[in-house]
Amino acid sequence: MRIATLAVLASALISPALAADLDYGVLRGADDDYLAPAPSIDWSGFYVGGHGGYSTASMGFTNVFGNPYREYFRARDIEAEFGVSSLLTFSSRRVHSTTYGAYAGYNVQFDDAVFGLEVDYTSFNKSGISYNEISRFYTTKANMFDIVNLRGFSKTELEDYGTIRGRAGYAFGSFLPFVTAGLAIGRATILDQPEVQNYGYDATAAAAYQANPRSGTPVTHHGYANGNTAFDPGAPQDPNKSVPNGFYQLPAKPKSKAVAGVALGGGIEYAITSNFLLRGEYQYVLFDDFDGHKVNINTVRGGAAIKF
């Protein structure tokens, strides 16, 4: 009986010690066995890259012949009475082009907010041409009958442009949506080629001549009875008898222009690694009026950059 009692006491004392020595770690798992958080992208730093995309530009022509026609008609009553220099207008033209270029910038990050400054260059090399013509006839206060025919073309060629813009974005790990705004500067070449045909006669004198040819030949101007032209006072409006001169081409030559404007846009960047960035963006550029010419550009493009 004493032997059985001693065996029970020994078992009670030894069992807790053995239990304390048992390693249940294999059931719990290792202390460092957990998922590590994804590495954070640092958007701060300098970057440089290239871009390519598709652009559509609207080219407008607002009273581009106003100045040369005003100079041509400045001493004429039809300009003072009817403003013929502003008769000819041109519709805008839309051109499309694939574009390419390069960009560089610098970012500073505060928590998840990212701010930066970026410059870019875009090669465009597209032109728009608009042609129009108009014919009008007038009787002035002095009873001169005038015919005015105007025609010509206007051309705008945008070679390239660059922008300097501020950027602001908010980082979501590897993604950075951003907006941007700033200034644009471009190089353009314009050519405005106006032509004019203007002729007329004294309507009072022509009526008197038709009533009595002895009253004298009516006074004519700008295109009748000069060179190979002819004027028949008995039929001043008969094109088979009273033939005017042809069109006169006003002097014109191409002009190179440095043009300025604004640039707006937005997009999203994706960091494949901390040093290799991809982006997709939209950019809108609006240039100020230059000699009656206007240009605005919408561009959708993609790019890739290395961050240092």
Side-chain angles (χ1 to χ4, degrees):
M1 186 66 179
R2 284 197 298 267
I3 294 173
T5 301
L6 291 173
V8 171
L9 291 175
S11 176
L13 293 174
I14 293 172
S15 295
L18 291 175
D21 290 338
L22 290 178
D23 184 6
Y24 294 99
V26 68
L27 299 178
R28 293 194 308 268
D31 291 341
D32 59 352
D33 187 12
Y34 63 92
L35 294 177
S40 177
I41 297 296
D42 181 9
W43 293 92
S44 297
F46 174 77
Y47 59 90
V48 61
H51 65 78
Y54 183 79
S55 297
T56 176
S58 176
M59 297 184 172
F61 312 88
T62 305
N63 198 25
V64 290
F65 287 177
N67 287 335
Y69 279 150
R70 272 191 294 272
E71 180 63 23
Y72 183 82
F73 289 111
R74 62 187 175 87
R76 298 292 311 287
D77 49 1
I78 54 174
E79 173 65 11
E81 294 179 25
F82 306 107
V84 294
S85 63
S86 61
L87 286 176
L88 194 60
T89 60
F90 295 90
S91 58
S92 62
R93 289 290 179 264
R94 187 166 291 277
V95 298
H96 310 271
S97 175
T98 55
T99 52
Y100 62 90
Y103 62 95
Y106 188 83
N107 287 329
V108 177
Q109 183 169 355
F110 301 95
D111 295 327
D112 292 325
V114 179
F115 302 94
L117 183 68
E118 183 172 290
V119 296
D120 69 357
Y121 167 83
T122 300
S123 177
F124 193 75
N125 289 317
K126 283 292 181 178
S127 61
I129 302 177
S130 189
Y131 174 88
N132 203 4
E133 57 185 315
I134 193 170
S135 297
R136 291 290 186 268
F137 62 87
Y138 304 95
T139 301
T140 70
K141 294 177 181 178
N143 207 31
M144 288 291 293
F145 184 79
D146 262 276
I147 296 91
V148 178
N149 296 321
L150 306 177
R151 72 184 185 188
F153 71 88
S154 186
K155 177 182 178 180
T156 303
E157 180 180 2
L158 183 65
E159 300 173 33
D160 51 16
Y161 62 92
T163 72
I164 178 168
R165 296 165 286 110
R167 293 207 316 159
Y170 193 86
F172 296 91
S174 297
F175 290 91
L176 178 67
F178 64 88
V179 293
T180 180
L183 302 177
I185 299 177
R187 295 189 302 165
T189 301
I190 62 175
L191 175 59
D192 300 321
Q193 182 57 74
E195 297 183 6
V196 58
Q197 183 187 52
N198 173 221
Y199 53 99
Y201 57 89
D202 186 330
T204 301
Y209 179 88
Q210 292 169 19
N212 180 11
R214 294 182 180 181
S215 63
T217 303
V219 174
T220 64
H221 71 84
H222 290 276
Y224 278 131
N226 182 16
N228 296 323
T229 64
F231 177 73
D232 185 344
Q237 296 188 42
D238 186 340
N240 295 316
K241 295 182 179 181
S242 295
V243 183
N245 281 329
F247 278 84
Y248 170 66
Q249 191 175 78
L250 276 64
K253 61 181 181 179
K255 300 177 183 177
S256 296
K257 293 283 184 178
V259 296
V262 297
L264 307 170
I268 188 168
E269 281 191 333
Y270 175 67
I272 294 182
T273 69
S274 294
N275 302 105
F276 187 52
L277 313 176
L278 297 179
R279 73 163 55 174
E281 67 177 324
Y282 163 78
Q283 186 182 78
Y284 174 75
V285 174
L286 173 63
F287 289 109
D288 296 335
D289 181 293
F290 47 104
D291 292 358
H293 295 249
K294 295 182 178 180
V295 177
N296 67 75
I297 308 168
N298 293 273
T299 301
V300 177
R301 65 193 187 187
I306 299 295
K307 185 173 75 69
F308 301 94

